[in-house]
Amino acid sequence: MTIVEPDRTTYTGTRVRRTEDPRLLAGRGQYVDDVTVPKMIEAAVLRSPLAHARITGIDVSRARELPGVFDVITGRDLAAVAGEQPVIWFPIPDQRIARTHALAVERVRWVGQAVAAVVAVNRYVAEDALELIEVDYEPLPVVADLDAALAPDAPKLYDDWPDNVSGSLTYTAGDAEAAFAEADVVVRESFTHGRAFGCPLEPRGCIVEWDDFAGTVDVHLSTQSPNLARDLLSEVLGVPVHKVRVRTPNLGGGFGNKFDFYGEEVIAAVLSRRTGRPVKLIEDRLDSFVATSHSRDQRLDFEMALRDDGTILGLRGISYGVLGGALGTVGAGPPWASVLTCMGPYKIPNLDVTVKAVVTNRSPYGSYRGWGVPKANIVHERLIEIAARELGMDRAAIRRKNFPAPEEFPFFSGVAFTYDSGDYAACLDLAMSKVDELGWRDRQAAARAEGRSLGIGYSFHIEPSAYGPSRILNLVGLAHSGFDEVTVRMDSVGKVTVYSGQINMGQGTHTIYAQLTADGLGIPMEDVVVVTGDTDSCPYTGYGTGGSRAAPLGGAAILRATERLQAKILRVAAELLEASPDDLQIEKGVISVKGTTSRSVTTRDVGDAAYRRLLNKMPESEVPTLEEVDVFDPPNMATSYGCTALLVEVDRGTGAVTLLDCLQAHDCGTVINPMLVDGQLAGGLAQALGGALLEELVYDEEGQLRTASFMDYLLPTAMEIPPFHFFHQETPAPDIPGGIKGVGEAGTIAGVSLVASAVDDALSDLGVTVTRFPITPPRLLDLIQAAQTPIGQTPTGQARTEEDAR
């Protein structure tokens, strides 16, 4: 993967290398599996081999007798001392909540559901003991996919439900029925996105030490949301929040998967209490395929109404979220979010859009980078391009025609979000001009003259970032807050420590927080230390590190705190210099009278005056010490956006797609550090391109996962990822101090529809329309052969089964 430096790009930010990297590159990072505490023992989990069954008996006697085994627990043991797994997001009113305990009690509803756990002197013994546990299952009918779950005679996953629909919610705006009745053109399609997961390089893990004497629970946890994990552990275990401590070491990637709250934390806690020893429980890669949150699995049946000049009149449809056998931490949140953003960046006055959450015998559904917005992007971008083909119009012209103008911001999307600022047409024009500069059209023409199929794809995305405000999140069903809190403290020698509840998981949070603090206080960046990852010492962040929040919310809180702290520093310095604070300036930690260099003090002098020698140095009106705390709860979210373009080549004989080049014109408000922004965009695009072409968790009709290893679940490598070029606009966020918008999920949102757009363009003479993702070679070959086959004939070599089509 290569990021190509743009020739002409203007940034307000400073290109600073990540401060986190030297230690990590030297192999001195500490991840949860590197942590060892005295008297620690290790656990392993027994998982169901069946997708749906009653547990009629569990015999753990042989496992208990194995030398080195400390304890074995079953679902009944755990349920006696711990509550059900929490669900924090209820976006659908009156939704049926499919809950479970960390260990199944009477019934399993997906392959891989935990049914028992062993803790032993080490993991090897624990794994051996698992093989000695005997579980009797009574198989039940399996609901393996969406169609099976929605069938009129479908077996029910929950006996007291009338069907397998957890809930449904419709949003309307204007009069969609009238808009479709008067439309010149209506385009409709059913889009399917296969099941996937974030697949962080480091699997999940925890170490839990329950001290019965102190009544405390001390947890080392690979999580993106330590305060949320602490709150939920408190609820499930019945331990007061102030008695729970969560510490987060380095994270080897999170991607949303480590935002969710998992049963393994509860299992380890119960085992620790029963044994009186700290318990480590690390997920192995086989576990991760069935126990880490799945995502993306949706079917989107939508139609768009347009005038013959390309004006969009209306959008309506249903987003089916293919949930698992129990609700994950965020419930039906991601499919719901896809409905809230399915109109994308366009002015669509008439809407009738529905989310329907459906349970199946699959692993629980949860968070993954982009949440529901990548699927929403498929809806609006695919329908735009299908409409352009139907109307004989340029696809860029339809996009441009339906963008809100800069003067129309803030712009209400029609359902939930108000987009704060932007110039969408300028961003589109920037992307298209770079396509010309890079010579893509010439490459395409030359290749086609040789009989090769090159295509250029486009996708325009919006990214609701800075997740908050808290009261709005509560209003739409989140049982948690969205504010962010920071503490900025200068010590007695003039050095500064920033304490934040955000988590650094590779996105460079420590670097940008140090940059913002140094700029805000006028001190060298090397004088700043950033501390995160400990609920006992770090402040509270409501939602955790997700929703593209770390820069806009944490950054805004730092800017506000440093502004107040600098004012106090100058007041103390004014006492030392016998000057007015208004006449002072601070640069590189030196405070002087403006316009002179002869009279100055340093931040070390100020620190000494504020902490140690206050007499005649610290103004009597000032409270000792130098510290500011800021809590920022945004009045509105901040909307990043961008236009991505992709050059691909399609092999018509095999259905293989080769990614040749990629660019993105992007606006995330004020750019703090362009190198980190580009890195976030590149990483997100790489994940999205993998989801567009390769990654899929495939289940068979018995609910068995057929892609449960990297032999079958294919990830993109540097060989598949094209070069990236990034070009930036800067439209500041009006509601965020510093104008910062989030960028963590931007690359992920556009990538799937982008590949489809490029493939369609490469095969434009055949009229191929890609609607199912990932676009595997067999699936694309089917489309090519179908387009080349006369009506009434069967394409030769067409895949006959889902497994063939993979």
Side-chain angles (χ1 to χ4, degrees), residues 123-146:
R123 179 66 179 258
Y124 302 100
V125 175
E127 293 277 3
D128 288 344
L130 292 183
E131 298 182 5
L132 301 177
I133 299 175
E134 298 177 4
V135 184
D136 296 324
Y137 294 103
E138 177 189 329
L140 295 171
V142 173
V143 179
D145 58 26
L146 179 63

Side-chain angles (χ1 to χ4, degrees), residues 309-326:
D309 67 352
T311 302
I312 303 173
L313 298 177
L315 180 71
R316 63 186 177 191
I318 301 177
S319 168
Y320 295 93
V322 188
L323 307 184

Side-chain angles (χ1 to χ4, degrees), residues 663-681:
L663 68 86
Q664 186 171 76
H666 189 263
D667 192 325
C668 60
T670 303
V671 175
I672 303 170
N673 186 323
M675 182 178 71
L676 296 185
V677 168
D678 290 355
Q680 285 289 285
L681 295 175

Side-chain angles (χ1 to χ4, degrees), residues 148-172:
L150 293 176
D153 57 348
K156 292 186 292 184
L157 268 67
Y158 290 86
D159 296 335
D160 56 341
W161 292 16
D163 51 33
N164 292 313
V165 177
S166 175
S168 181
L169 178 63
T170 298
Y171 292 96
T172 60

Side-chain angles (χ1 to χ4, degrees), residues 6-74:
D7 294 330
R8 298 188 302 277
T9 307
T10 301
Y11 300 102
T12 58
T14 304
R15 187 173 292 273
V16 175
R17 291 187 181 275
R18 297 197 326 170
T19 59
E20 304 94 325
D21 285 349
R23 181 167 54 87
L24 298 177
L25 292 172
R28 299 296 295 274
Q30 186 181 57
Y31 300 88
V32 69
D33 199 28
D34 296 321
V35 178
T36 300
V37 299
K39 299 183 179 180
M40 185 179 75
I41 51 182
E42 298 190 65
V45 175
L46 182 68
R47 302 187 182 279
S48 171
L50 300 178
H52 199 192
R54 285 191 179 88
I55 301 172
T56 59
I58 301 181
D59 184 352
V60 301
S61 58
R62 293 174 61 211
R64 287 187 184 281
E65 294 169 0
L66 185 70
V69 169
F70 281 79
D71 198 7
V72 184
I73 59 170
T74 66

Side-chain angles (χ1 to χ4, degrees), residues 146 187-194 296-304 315-322 338 342 374-387 389 752-753 756-757 760 769-774:
L146 179 63
V187 292
R188 58 180 58 87
E189 195 54 79
S190 179
F191 306 103
T192 302
H193 196 307
R296 301 294 195 241
D297 198 353
Q298 283 181 237
R299 192 179 80 201
L300 306 128
D301 298 340
F302 276 80
E303 56 184 350
M304 180 180 283
L315 180 71
R316 63 186 177 191
I318 301 177
S319 168
Y320 295 93
V322 188
S338 69
C342 65
K375 284 90 71 178
N377 185 268
I378 292 171
V379 171
H380 57 77
E381 291 305 279
R382 291 274 68 210
L383 289 179
I384 283 278
E385 298 217 338
I386 294 170
R389 188 188 306 176
V752 174
S753 65
S757 171
D760 280 6
T769 303
V770 174
T771 61
R772 184 171 184 176
F773 309 95

Side-chain angles (χ1 to χ4, degrees), residues 540-599:
Y540 198 93
T541 184
Y543 190 71
T545 303
S548 299
R549 306 174 70 251
L553 268 65
I558 288 171
L559 288 173
R560 301 201 314 176
T562 55
E563 182 179 17
R564 296 196 300 272
L565 182 55
Q566 188 194 67
K568 184 173 183 179
I569 292 168
L570 293 177
R571 292 195 300 271
V572 176
E575 187 81 3
L576 298 174
L577 292 169
E578 298 180 345
S580 168
D582 295 336
D583 294 333
L584 300 183
Q585 64 184 7
I586 179 170
E587 185 176 351
K588 295 182 179 180
V590 177
I591 304 115
S592 61
V593 177
K594 296 175 184 177
T596 70
T597 57
S598 57
R599 300 177 60 204

Side-chain angles (χ1 to χ4, degrees), residues 659-716:
L659 308 177
L660 302 176
D661 210 355
C662 185
L663 68 86
Q664 186 171 76
H666 189 263
D667 192 325
C668 60
T670 303
V671 175
I672 303 170
N673 186 323
M675 182 178 71
L676 296 185
V677 168
D678 290 355
Q680 285 289 285
L681 295 175
L685 273 166
Q687 285 188 303
L689 296 174
L693 292 170
L694 300 170
E695 300 179 47
E696 185 173 15
L697 294 164
V698 177
Y699 283 87
D700 66 16
E701 64 278 1
E702 295 300 320
Q704 295 290 331
L705 182 60
R706 294 302 186 189
T707 53
S709 77
F710 292 137
M711 292 292 291
D712 303 294
Y713 187 86
L714 304 180
L715 294 173

